[in-house]
Structures are given as structure tokens and as C-alpha cells.
Amino acid sequence: MTDPNPIDDTTDDFRRFEARLVAHDQDATRVVTADIGDTTARQLVTDLIDSDIVTPIPGKQVFVHEPSGTAFDSSTQVAVFHRGWTAARNADKDGE
């Protein structure tokens, strides 16, 4: 039997293609949290306050994310945290 022709060997091409597909799938399922601007963050926090998910502490200028018990000193921080927290909880539910 003769050795396979290295020119005809497409194993490396397939591995690179498969790695790109996996990376694309992972990118599609990730929740983007870094793109929250100040206006969007304030609106989200206002909605969370109305839904009793976030409690503002006026004297200390702090927001408390009630489900997790975590405190934040800016609306952007709590908005980004809540998006990530929600995504993680949804991922856990999907994994069950």
C-alpha cells in the first residue's frame, strides 16, 4: 500500500472549518452586556425598580439587585450585572 498523498489530505482544513463553526455557534449564544449605554442602563434600571427587582438606597446612592443581594453604585453596573445574571439563569434552565 502506498502512503497517502499529503496534497489530498484535507484533515487540517476540516479541523479549522469545524473550529470556526464552533466559535460561531458560541458567539451566537452569548449575551452581549458590554454594549449598554447610560440611557439604556437608566431605562433598564427604572424598569427593574418598577418590577421590584432592584431597590434604590437613596441616602447611600446604591442599587441593590434583590434576587442576588448584590449592591452597585451605578445604574450601568446593575444593568450589565442583571443582563448577565438573567442570561446565566436562562442558560441553567436550558441545560436542564
Side-chain angles (χ1 to χ4, degrees), residues 58-96:
K60 296 183 180 182
Q61 297 179 347
V62 171
F63 297 101
V64 177
H65 185 257
E66 293 299 337
S68 67
T70 308
F72 301 92
D73 60 0
S74 82
S75 59
T76 303
Q77 289 175 342
V78 73
V80 169
F81 176 83
H82 182 73
R83 276 197 179 173
W85 181 81
T86 302
R89 289 184 48 99
N90 290 341
D92 287 346
K93 288 179 186 176
D94 291 344
E96 291 179 353

Side-chain angles (χ1 to χ4, degrees), residues 27-45:
D27 288 343
T29 59
R30 288 188 181 121
V31 175
V32 177
T33 58
D35 64 348
I36 298 177
D38 289 338
T39 305
T40 304
R42 277 189 234 112
Q43 183 59 46
L44 179 59
V45 171

